[in-house]
């Protein structure tokens, strides 16, 4: 039987690459997204992958969305918590709203998805949860106290939930990408980006498919003994 995988923020960037990779590996893949219908329609047209729209930072909407996916597609075996946003600014300029919104979506989204899907995985005795953290959650980053805190929180969340899932066949792992060539990084001003790339030993930005490959491994049968870990995929920029 094909396992069902849901990728939050799966319609663009890294999430889209993860969807395509998991589909190629034999999963029935569903993408979730927030509001960009054009990207969702493009994903469907290019790959046949269906998408469901809700805000992962909204607890009730996430529970309802996952229930709908389970009814229409099947029980959810794999969750990739990839949806994320930035609201950058130094602390003295950052508003309380910018802090809350990043925590709500980037970290709260992981909690909401786990609340919706972990109990079923536990009951069925198999599951995979992969949380997309960030190099900036490991190392910190100027102008990102909200994002770095949320991503750092993802790494703690991963290790705690991994302990709860281990004896039920549910693994929980994180990937900490470095700088990857997506819309999120395209928003970084070019002079800043040049300085960032100069600090990457491999000498370039990463590609979304390079993150997807790591996710695919963590979702595979072969990775059953890997749990509570963080895989850094960052071109050597931060060796943790
Ligand atoms: P993009 O900005 O390219 O895509 C973000 C995706 O998340 C979109 O599909 C978007 O949906 C979705 N999304 C945003 N907010 C929500 C929400 N509230 N509910 C549901 N979906 C939402 O991001 P990337 O591909 O660059 O990043 C993906 C993940 O990787 C993020 O968690 C990011 O923090 C992390 N990361 C990225 C790095 C990079 O260099 N790009 C580096 C390290 C980590 P919609 O299209 O509808 O807006």
């Amino acid at each position: 039987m094909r396992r069902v995988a849901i990728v939050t923020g799966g319609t663009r960037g890294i999430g889209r690459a993860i969807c395509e990779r998991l589909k190629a590996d034999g999963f029935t893949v569903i993408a979730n997204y927030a509001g960009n219908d054009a990207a969702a329609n493009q994903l469907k047209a290019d790959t046949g992958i269906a998408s469901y729209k809700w805000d992962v930072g909204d607890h009730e909407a996430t529970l309802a969305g996952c229930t709908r996916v389970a009814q229409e597609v099947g029980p959810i075996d794999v969750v990739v918590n990839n949806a994320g946003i930035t609201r950058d600014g130094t602390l003295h300029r950052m508003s309380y709203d910018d802090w809350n919104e990043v925590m709500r979506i980037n970290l709260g989204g992981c909690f909401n998805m786990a609340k919706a899907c972990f109990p079923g995985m536990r009951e069925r005795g198999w599951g995979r949860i992969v949380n997309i953290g960030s190099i900036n959650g490991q190392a910190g980053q100027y102008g990102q106290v909200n994002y770095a805190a949320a991503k750092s929180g993802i790494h703690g969340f991963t290790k705690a939930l991994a302990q709860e899932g281990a004896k039920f066949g549910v693994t929980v792992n994180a990937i900490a990408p470095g700088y990857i060539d997506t819309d999120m990084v395209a928003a970084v001003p070019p002079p800043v980006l040049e300085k960032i790339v100069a600090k990457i030993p491999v000498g370039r930005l990463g590609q979304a498919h390079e993150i997807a490959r790591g996710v695919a491994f963590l979702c595979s049968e072969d990775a059953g003994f890997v749990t509570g870990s963080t895989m850094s995929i960052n071109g050597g920029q931060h060796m943790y």
Side-chain angles (χ1 to χ4, degrees), residues 73-125:
V73 185
I76 298 168
D77 303 303
V78 173
V79 170
V80 183
N81 282 312
N82 164 80
I85 61 162
T86 51
R87 294 282 184 275
D88 294 352
T90 52
L91 181 73
H92 71 282
R93 287 176 195 274
M94 187 177 289
S95 68
Y96 188 50
D97 279 354
D98 287 341
W99 166 264
N100 277 332
E101 194 61 356
V102 168
M103 296 303 283
R104 188 183 74 82
I105 293 173
N106 295 15
L107 187 54
C110 294
F111 175 79
N112 294 336
M113 286 298 295
K115 281 296 276 185
C117 302
F118 182 79
M121 294 175 179
R122 195 174 175 272
E123 271 165 30
R124 293 187 300 276

Short mmCIF file of all heavy atoms in Angstrom, two decimals, residues 73-125:
data_model
loop_
_atom_site.label_atom_id
_atom_site.label_comp_id
_atom_site.label_asym_id
_atom_site.label_seq_id
_atom_site.Cartn_x
_atom_site.Cartn_y
_atom_site.Cartn_z
N VAL A 73 -7.93 11.05 1.14
CA VAL A 73 -6.75 10.41 0.54
C VAL A 73 -6.35 9.15 1.30
O VAL A 73 -6.01 8.12 0.71
CB VAL A 73 -5.56 11.41 0.49
CG1 VAL A 73 -4.36 10.79 -0.23
CG2 VAL A 73 -5.96 12.72 -0.16
N GLY A 74 -6.38 9.23 2.63
CA GLY A 74 -5.99 8.08 3.47
C GLY A 74 -5.22 8.57 4.68
O GLY A 74 -4.81 9.73 4.74
N PRO A 75 -5.01 7.66 5.65
CA PRO A 75 -4.31 8.05 6.87
C PRO A 75 -2.91 8.60 6.55
O PRO A 75 -2.22 8.08 5.66
CB PRO A 75 -4.19 6.74 7.66
CG PRO A 75 -5.18 5.82 7.05
CD PRO A 75 -5.40 6.25 5.64
N ILE A 76 -2.53 9.64 7.27
CA ILE A 76 -1.26 10.33 6.97
C ILE A 76 -0.12 9.62 7.70
O ILE A 76 -0.10 9.54 8.93
CB ILE A 76 -1.37 11.82 7.38
CG1 ILE A 76 -2.47 12.50 6.56
CG2 ILE A 76 -0.02 12.53 7.21
CD1 ILE A 76 -2.87 13.90 7.04
N ASP A 77 0.83 9.10 6.92
CA ASP A 77 1.96 8.34 7.47
C ASP A 77 3.21 9.20 7.63
O ASP A 77 4.10 8.86 8.42
CB ASP A 77 2.33 7.19 6.52
CG ASP A 77 1.15 6.27 6.28
OD1 ASP A 77 0.61 5.73 7.26
OD2 ASP A 77 0.76 6.09 5.09
N VAL A 78 3.32 10.25 6.82
CA VAL A 78 4.53 11.06 6.79
C VAL A 78 4.13 12.54 6.82
O VAL A 78 3.27 12.96 6.05
CB VAL A 78 5.34 10.79 5.49
CG1 VAL A 78 6.50 11.77 5.36
CG2 VAL A 78 5.83 9.36 5.43
N VAL A 79 4.74 13.30 7.72
CA VAL A 79 4.54 14.75 7.76
C VAL A 79 5.90 15.42 7.57
O VAL A 79 6.84 15.11 8.30
CB VAL A 79 3.94 15.20 9.10
CG1 VAL A 79 3.96 16.73 9.21
CG2 VAL A 79 2.52 14.69 9.27
N VAL A 80 5.97 16.31 6.60
CA VAL A 80 7.17 17.14 6.46
C VAL A 80 6.75 18.57 6.81
O VAL A 80 5.98 19.20 6.07
CB VAL A 80 7.77 17.06 5.05
CG1 VAL A 80 9.05 17.90 4.98
CG2 VAL A 80 8.05 15.61 4.65
N ASN A 81 7.22 19.05 7.95
CA ASN A 81 6.90 20.41 8.40
C ASN A 81 7.90 21.36 7.76
O ASN A 81 8.98 21.62 8.30
CB ASN A 81 6.98 20.48 9.93
CG ASN A 81 5.75 19.89 10.58
OD1 ASN A 81 4.62 20.19 10.19
ND2 ASN A 81 5.96 19.03 11.57
N ASN A 82 7.49 21.87 6.60
CA ASN A 82 8.40 22.71 5.81
C ASN A 82 7.94 24.17 5.73
O ASN A 82 8.74 25.06 5.47
CB ASN A 82 8.50 22.09 4.40
CG ASN A 82 9.09 23.04 3.39
OD1 ASN A 82 10.30 23.22 3.32
ND2 ASN A 82 8.24 23.68 2.59
N ALA A 83 6.64 24.42 5.95
CA ALA A 83 6.13 25.80 5.79
C ALA A 83 6.88 26.75 6.71
O ALA A 83 7.10 26.45 7.89
CB ALA A 83 4.64 25.84 6.11
N GLY A 84 7.29 27.86 6.16
CA GLY A 84 8.00 28.83 6.99
C GLY A 84 7.99 30.20 6.35
O GLY A 84 7.85 30.35 5.14
N ILE A 85 8.11 31.22 7.21
CA ILE A 85 8.16 32.60 6.72
C ILE A 85 9.30 33.33 7.42
O ILE A 85 9.82 32.86 8.43
CB ILE A 85 6.84 33.36 7.02
CG1 ILE A 85 6.56 33.42 8.53
CG2 ILE A 85 5.67 32.71 6.29
CD1 ILE A 85 5.55 34.50 8.92
N THR A 86 9.66 34.48 6.88
CA THR A 86 10.59 35.38 7.57
C THR A 86 9.89 36.73 7.76
O THR A 86 9.07 37.14 6.93
CB THR A 86 11.88 35.61 6.76
OG1 THR A 86 11.53 35.99 5.43
CG2 THR A 86 12.76 34.38 6.72
N ARG A 87 10.19 37.40 8.85
CA ARG A 87 9.79 38.79 9.11
C ARG A 87 11.00 39.43 9.78
O ARG A 87 11.03 39.63 10.98
CB ARG A 87 8.59 38.87 10.07
CG ARG A 87 7.29 38.31 9.53
CD ARG A 87 6.59 39.27 8.55
NE ARG A 87 5.31 38.75 8.14
CZ ARG A 87 5.11 37.89 7.14
NH1 ARG A 87 6.14 37.45 6.44
NH2 ARG A 87 3.90 37.48 6.83
N ASP A 88 12.04 39.69 8.95
CA ASP A 88 13.34 40.06 9.51
C ASP A 88 13.39 41.51 9.99
O ASP A 88 12.68 42.39 9.47
CB ASP A 88 14.44 39.89 8.44
CG ASP A 88 14.65 38.43 8.07
OD1 ASP A 88 14.08 37.54 8.72
OD2 ASP A 88 15.42 38.18 7.11
N GLY A 89 14.29 41.76 10.91
CA GLY A 89 14.54 43.11 11.42
C GLY A 89 15.34 42.98 12.70
O GLY A 89 15.19 41.99 13.42
N THR A 90 16.17 43.96 12.96
CA THR A 90 16.90 43.92 14.24
C THR A 90 15.90 44.09 15.38
O THR A 90 14.79 44.60 15.16
CB THR A 90 17.95 45.03 14.30
OG1 THR A 90 17.30 46.27 13.99
CG2 THR A 90 19.08 44.78 13.31
N LEU A 91 16.27 43.67 16.54
CA LEU A 91 15.32 43.65 17.67
C LEU A 91 14.68 45.02 17.90
O LEU A 91 13.47 45.10 18.14
CB LEU A 91 16.04 43.21 18.95
CG LEU A 91 15.12 43.13 20.16
CD1 LEU A 91 14.18 41.94 20.08
CD2 LEU A 91 15.90 43.09 21.45
N HIS A 92 15.48 46.09 17.78
CA HIS A 92 14.88 47.39 18.10
C HIS A 92 13.87 47.84 17.05
O HIS A 92 13.05 48.71 17.30
CB HIS A 92 15.95 48.46 18.40
CG HIS A 92 16.75 48.91 17.24
ND1 HIS A 92 17.78 48.18 16.70
CD2 HIS A 92 16.68 50.04 16.50
CE1 HIS A 92 18.31 48.83 15.69
NE2 HIS A 92 17.66 49.96 15.54
N ARG A 93 13.88 47.21 15.88
CA ARG A 93 12.87 47.53 14.86
C ARG A 93 11.76 46.48 14.79
O ARG A 93 10.73 46.71 14.16
CB ARG A 93 13.51 47.59 13.48
CG ARG A 93 14.37 48.80 13.24
CD ARG A 93 15.03 48.69 11.87
NE ARG A 93 16.13 49.64 11.74
CZ ARG A 93 15.96 50.89 11.35
NH1 ARG A 93 14.79 51.34 11.04
NH2 ARG A 93 17.00 51.69 11.28
N MET A 94 11.98 45.31 15.35
CA MET A 94 11.02 44.21 15.17
C MET A 94 9.77 44.44 16.03
O MET A 94 9.88 44.68 17.23
CB MET A 94 11.68 42.88 15.56
CG MET A 94 10.81 41.67 15.25
SD MET A 94 11.67 40.14 15.63
CE MET A 94 12.90 40.10 14.34
N SER A 95 8.61 44.32 15.40
CA SER A 95 7.37 44.50 16.16
C SER A 95 7.00 43.20 16.87
O SER A 95 7.47 42.11 16.51
CB SER A 95 6.24 44.91 15.20
OG SER A 95 5.93 43.82 14.36
N TYR A 96 6.12 43.34 17.83
CA TYR A 96 5.62 42.17 18.56
C TYR A 96 4.87 41.25 17.57
O TYR A 96 4.95 40.02 17.66
CB TYR A 96 4.71 42.67 19.68
CG TYR A 96 4.25 41.61 20.64
CD1 TYR A 96 5.15 40.72 21.23
CD2 TYR A 96 2.90 41.49 20.99
CE1 TYR A 96 4.72 39.75 22.12
CE2 TYR A 96 2.47 40.53 21.88
CZ TYR A 96 3.39 39.66 22.45
OH TYR A 96 2.96 38.70 23.33
N ASP A 97 4.20 41.85 16.60
CA ASP A 97 3.48 41.06 15.59
C ASP A 97 4.46 40.23 14.75
O ASP A 97 4.17 39.08 14.40
CB ASP A 97 2.70 41.98 14.64
CG ASP A 97 1.38 42.41 15.25
OD1 ASP A 97 1.04 41.91 16.34
OD2 ASP A 97 0.71 43.27 14.63
N ASP A 98 5.62 40.84 14.40
CA ASP A 98 6.61 40.10 13.60
C ASP A 98 7.16 38.91 14.40
O ASP A 98 7.46 37.85 13.84
CB ASP A 98 7.76 41.02 13.19
CG ASP A 98 7.35 42.01 12.11
OD1 ASP A 98 6.33 41.77 11.44
OD2 ASP A 98 8.05 43.04 11.97
N TRP A 99 7.35 39.13 15.68
CA TRP A 99 7.81 38.03 16.55
C TRP A 99 6.75 36.92 16.57
O TRP A 99 7.03 35.76 16.29
CB TRP A 99 8.06 38.57 17.97
CG TRP A 99 8.20 37.50 19.00
CD1 TRP A 99 7.22 37.01 19.82
CD2 TRP A 99 9.39 36.73 19.30
NE1 TRP A 99 7.73 36.00 20.61
CE2 TRP A 99 9.03 35.81 20.32
CE3 TRP A 99 10.69 36.73 18.81
CZ2 TRP A 99 9.94 34.92 20.85
CZ3 TRP A 99 11.60 35.83 19.35
CH2 TRP A 99 11.23 34.93 20.35
N ASN A 100 5.51 37.31 16.90
CA ASN A 100 4.44 36.33 17.07
C ASN A 100 4.13 35.56 15.80
O ASN A 100 3.86 34.36 15.84
CB ASN A 100 3.16 37.01 17.56
CG ASN A 100 3.19 37.22 19.06
OD1 ASN A 100 3.82 36.45 19.77
ND2 ASN A 100 2.52 38.24 19.53
N GLU A 101 4.13 36.26 14.68
CA GLU A 101 3.73 35.61 13.42
C GLU A 101 4.73 34.52 13.03
O GLU A 101 4.35 33.44 12.59
CB GLU A 101 3.61 36.68 12.32
CG GLU A 101 2.90 36.25 11.07
CD GLU A 101 1.43 35.82 11.28
OE1 GLU A 101 0.92 35.77 12.41
OE2 GLU A 101 0.81 35.50 10.24
N VAL A 102 6.01 34.80 13.22
CA VAL A 102 7.04 33.81 12.88
C VAL A 102 6.98 32.62 13.85
O VAL A 102 7.07 31.46 13.42
CB VAL A 102 8.44 34.47 12.85
CG1 VAL A 102 9.54 33.42 12.79
CG2 VAL A 102 8.53 35.40 11.64
N MET A 103 6.76 32.90 15.12
CA MET A 103 6.64 31.79 16.08
C MET A 103 5.38 30.96 15.79
O MET A 103 5.40 29.74 15.84
CB MET A 103 6.56 32.32 17.53
CG MET A 103 7.79 33.04 17.99
SD MET A 103 9.31 32.09 17.89
CE MET A 103 9.14 31.03 19.27
N ARG A 104 4.31 31.65 15.47
CA ARG A 104 3.01 30.99 15.23
C ARG A 104 3.09 30.03 14.04
O ARG A 104 2.61 28.90 14.11
CB ARG A 104 1.94 32.08 14.97
CG ARG A 104 0.52 31.60 14.89
CD ARG A 104 -0.44 32.75 14.57
NE ARG A 104 -0.35 33.18 13.18
CZ ARG A 104 -0.96 32.59 12.15
NH1 ARG A 104 -1.71 31.52 12.34
NH2 ARG A 104 -0.81 33.05 10.92
N ILE A 105 3.71 30.51 12.96
CA ILE A 105 3.73 29.69 11.74
C ILE A 105 4.90 28.69 11.78
O ILE A 105 4.72 27.49 11.59
CB ILE A 105 3.80 30.59 10.49
CG1 ILE A 105 2.48 31.38 10.36
CG2 ILE A 105 4.07 29.76 9.23
CD1 ILE A 105 2.46 32.42 9.27
N ASN A 106 6.11 29.18 12.03
CA ASN A 106 7.28 28.32 11.88
C ASN A 106 7.37 27.24 12.97
O ASN A 106 7.71 26.09 12.69
CB ASN A 106 8.57 29.15 11.89
CG ASN A 106 8.67 30.08 10.68
OD1 ASN A 106 7.69 30.32 9.98
ND2 ASN A 106 9.85 30.61 10.43
N LEU A 107 7.07 27.63 14.21
CA LEU A 107 7.15 26.65 15.31
C LEU A 107 5.76 26.10 15.65
O LEU A 107 5.59 24.89 15.77
CB LEU A 107 7.79 27.32 16.53
CG LEU A 107 8.09 26.41 17.73
CD1 LEU A 107 8.95 25.21 17.34
CD2 LEU A 107 8.80 27.21 18.83
N GLY A 108 4.78 26.99 15.73
CA GLY A 108 3.41 26.54 16.04
C GLY A 108 2.90 25.58 14.98
O GLY A 108 2.18 24.64 15.29
N GLY A 109 3.29 25.79 13.73
CA GLY A 109 2.86 24.90 12.65
C GLY A 109 3.30 23.46 12.89
O GLY A 109 2.57 22.51 12.59
N CYS A 110 4.50 23.29 13.43
CA CYS A 110 5.01 21.93 13.72
C CYS A 110 4.16 21.28 14.81
O CYS A 110 3.80 20.10 14.70
CB CYS A 110 6.46 21.98 14.18
SG CYS A 110 7.60 22.56 12.92
N PHE A 111 3.83 22.04 15.85
CA PHE A 111 2.99 21.51 16.93
C PHE A 111 1.61 21.14 16.38
O PHE A 111 1.10 20.03 16.64
CB PHE A 111 2.86 22.56 18.04
CG PHE A 111 1.90 22.14 19.13
CD1 PHE A 111 2.29 21.24 20.12
CD2 PHE A 111 0.60 22.64 19.16
CE1 PHE A 111 1.39 20.85 21.11
CE2 PHE A 111 -0.30 22.25 20.15
CZ PHE A 111 0.10 21.36 21.13
N ASN A 112 1.03 22.04 15.59
CA ASN A 112 -0.33 21.80 15.09
C ASN A 112 -0.37 20.55 14.20
O ASN A 112 -1.29 19.74 14.31
CB ASN A 112 -0.82 23.02 14.32
CG ASN A 112 -0.99 24.24 15.22
OD1 ASN A 112 -1.18 24.10 16.43
ND2 ASN A 112 -0.90 25.44 14.65
N MET A 113 0.62 20.41 13.33
CA MET A 113 0.65 19.23 12.43
C MET A 113 0.86 17.95 13.24
O MET A 113 0.27 16.91 12.95
CB MET A 113 1.74 19.39 11.38
CG MET A 113 1.43 20.39 10.29
SD MET A 113 -0.04 19.97 9.30
CE MET A 113 0.50 18.45 8.49
N ALA A 114 1.72 18.03 14.26
CA ALA A 114 1.97 16.84 15.08
C ALA A 114 0.71 16.47 15.86
O ALA A 114 0.36 15.28 15.96
CB ALA A 114 3.14 17.08 16.03
N LYS A 115 0.01 17.46 16.40
CA LYS A 115 -1.24 17.17 17.12
C LYS A 115 -2.23 16.47 16.20
O LYS A 115 -2.97 15.58 16.62
CB LYS A 115 -1.87 18.46 17.65
CG LYS A 115 -1.24 19.00 18.91
CD LYS A 115 -1.38 18.10 20.12
CE LYS A 115 -2.70 18.26 20.84
NZ LYS A 115 -2.71 17.42 22.09
N ALA A 116 -2.25 16.88 14.94
CA ALA A 116 -3.21 16.30 14.00
C ALA A 116 -2.81 14.88 13.57
O ALA A 116 -3.67 14.03 13.36
CB ALA A 116 -3.34 17.20 12.77
N CYS A 117 -1.52 14.63 13.42
CA CYS A 117 -1.09 13.39 12.73
C CYS A 117 -0.35 12.38 13.60
O CYS A 117 -0.36 11.18 13.30
CB CYS A 117 -0.19 13.76 11.54
SG CYS A 117 -1.01 14.85 10.35
N PHE A 118 0.30 12.83 14.66
CA PHE A 118 1.09 11.91 15.48
C PHE A 118 0.25 10.81 16.14
O PHE A 118 0.66 9.64 16.13
CB PHE A 118 1.88 12.72 16.53
CG PHE A 118 2.79 11.92 17.41
CD1 PHE A 118 4.03 11.48 16.97
CD2 PHE A 118 2.42 11.62 18.72
CE1 PHE A 118 4.87 10.76 17.80
CE2 PHE A 118 3.25 10.90 19.56
CZ PHE A 118 4.48 10.47 19.10
N PRO A 119 -0.94 11.12 16.69
CA PRO A 119 -1.71 10.07 17.35
C PRO A 119 -2.04 8.90 16.40
O PRO A 119 -1.94 7.73 16.80
CB PRO A 119 -3.00 10.79 17.78
CG PRO A 119 -2.59 12.22 17.94
CD PRO A 119 -1.59 12.45 16.84
N GLY A 120 -2.38 9.19 15.16
CA GLY A 120 -2.69 8.12 14.21
C GLY A 120 -1.46 7.29 13.87
O GLY A 120 -1.53 6.06 13.77
N MET A 121 -0.34 7.96 13.70
CA MET A 121 0.91 7.24 13.41
C MET A 121 1.24 6.28 14.56
O MET A 121 1.63 5.14 14.34
CB MET A 121 2.07 8.23 13.25
CG MET A 121 1.98 9.16 12.07
SD MET A 121 3.37 10.33 12.15
CE MET A 121 3.06 11.29 10.67
N ARG A 122 1.09 6.79 15.77
CA ARG A 122 1.39 6.02 16.98
C ARG A 122 0.48 4.78 17.04
O ARG A 122 0.94 3.67 17.30
CB ARG A 122 1.11 6.96 18.15
CG ARG A 122 1.64 6.60 19.48
CD ARG A 122 1.33 7.79 20.41
NE ARG A 122 1.69 7.52 21.78
CZ ARG A 122 0.89 6.95 22.66
NH1 ARG A 122 -0.32 6.59 22.32
NH2 ARG A 122 1.31 6.74 23.89
N GLU A 123 -0.80 4.98 16.76
CA GLU A 123 -1.75 3.85 16.80
C GLU A 123 -1.43 2.82 15.74
O GLU A 123 -1.53 1.62 15.97
CB GLU A 123 -3.17 4.35 16.53
CG GLU A 123 -3.90 4.77 17.78
CD GLU A 123 -5.15 5.58 17.45
OE1 GLU A 123 -5.76 5.35 16.38
OE2 GLU A 123 -5.48 6.47 18.26
N ARG A 124 -1.02 3.28 14.54
CA ARG A 124 -0.75 2.35 13.44
C ARG A 124 0.65 1.75 13.51
O ARG A 124 0.99 0.86 12.76
CB ARG A 124 -0.96 3.05 12.09
CG ARG A 124 -2.42 3.43 11.82
CD ARG A 124 -2.62 3.96 10.40
NE ARG A 124 -1.83 5.15 10.14
CZ ARG A 124 -2.22 6.40 10.47
NH1 ARG A 124 -3.38 6.58 11.07
NH2 ARG A 124 -1.44 7.42 10.20
N GLY A 125 1.50 2.30 14.41
CA GLY A 125 2.84 1.72 14.64
C GLY A 125 3.87 2.08 13.59
O GLY A 125 4.90 1.41 13.48
#
